[in-house]
Amino acid sequence: MKQSEESQQEAVQKTDGRFEIEFYETKDGKQPVKEFLLSLDVKMRAKMLSMISLLQDNGYELREPYSKHLSDGIFELRAKVGSDITRVLYFFYVERHIILTNGFIKKTQKTPPKEVDRAKKYRTDYLCRKEIRK
């Protein structure tokens, strides 16, 4: 077997069919999603972490009520505890990678456009920096 085939097999075995979750990181090292998750109360954080695990297991196949496509490849991961509603926005990247960009507490019926725009801005930055590293 060729070495590249062996490394591909190892990669498949390593992820065990799961998607790899990555927190978007700004140029100055901040991780908006991590900061958001740490700001949540214990119950909501636990709920959102279980949603992230569900996303990791199901990837592209995760649908409502857990996940919803919003716009231009940006998705929202949805969590609710009592009357509190939170969202984490994300996008898919090559080789089963999911990049979590930003999170917010939902206070209106519709997802705020500024949050979607922020996710798109973070995605553009992420992709530009990935290309530079190649």
Side-chain angles (χ1 to χ4, degrees):
M1 191 181 317
K2 294 179 185 173
Q3 187 171 359
S4 65
E5 289 176 3
E6 287 173 359
S7 62
Q8 286 174 351
Q9 273 190 343
E10 287 173 14
V12 168
Q13 289 170 352
K14 191 171 90 177
T15 61
D16 196 27
R18 298 176 86 199
F19 284 73
E20 187 172 322
I21 300 291
E22 183 179 334
F23 290 179
Y24 164 77
E25 189 171 303
T26 63
K27 289 178 185 175
D28 60 358
K30 291 183 181 175
Q31 295 177 323
V33 167
K34 184 176 183 179
E35 292 171 11
F36 172 71
L37 292 171
L38 292 174
S39 75
L40 297 173
D41 68 51
V42 176
K43 284 184 180 180
M44 184 58 84
R45 185 179 319 133
K47 178 75 172 197
M48 188 51 83
L49 290 174
S50 73
M51 291 295 101
I52 292 170
S53 181
L54 197 62
L55 177 62
Q56 187 174 25
D57 291 340
N58 294 282
Y60 303 112
E61 295 178 11
L62 191 63
R63 299 281 188 259
E64 289 189 50
Y66 311 109
S67 175
K68 182 179 178 183
H69 179 257
L70 296 176
S71 165
D72 191 29
I74 300 295
F75 294 80
E76 68 177 5
L77 192 58
R78 311 163 111 195
K80 183 175 181 179
V81 174
S83 61
D84 297 328
I85 302 170
T86 60
R87 301 290 190 252
V88 166
L89 302 187
Y90 66 94
F91 64 92
F92 291 95
Y93 187 62
V94 296
E95 296 178 6
R96 302 178 70 84
H97 281 77
I98 298 170
I99 314 304
L100 306 180
T101 57
N102 53 305
F104 61 96
I105 296 171
K106 192 167 180 195
K107 297 180 181 182
T108 61
Q109 191 70 18
K110 201 167 168 82
T111 299
K114 71 176 186 170
E115 296 294 345
V116 177
D117 291 342
R118 181 176 292 131
K120 288 178 181 178
K121 183 183 96 176
Y122 287 164
R123 178 181 59 191
T124 298
D125 177 60
Y126 178 88
L127 295 174
C128 285
R129 288 193 284 142
K130 276 288 187 191
E131 287 302 312
I132 289 171
R133 285 188 225 151
K134 286 184 177 183

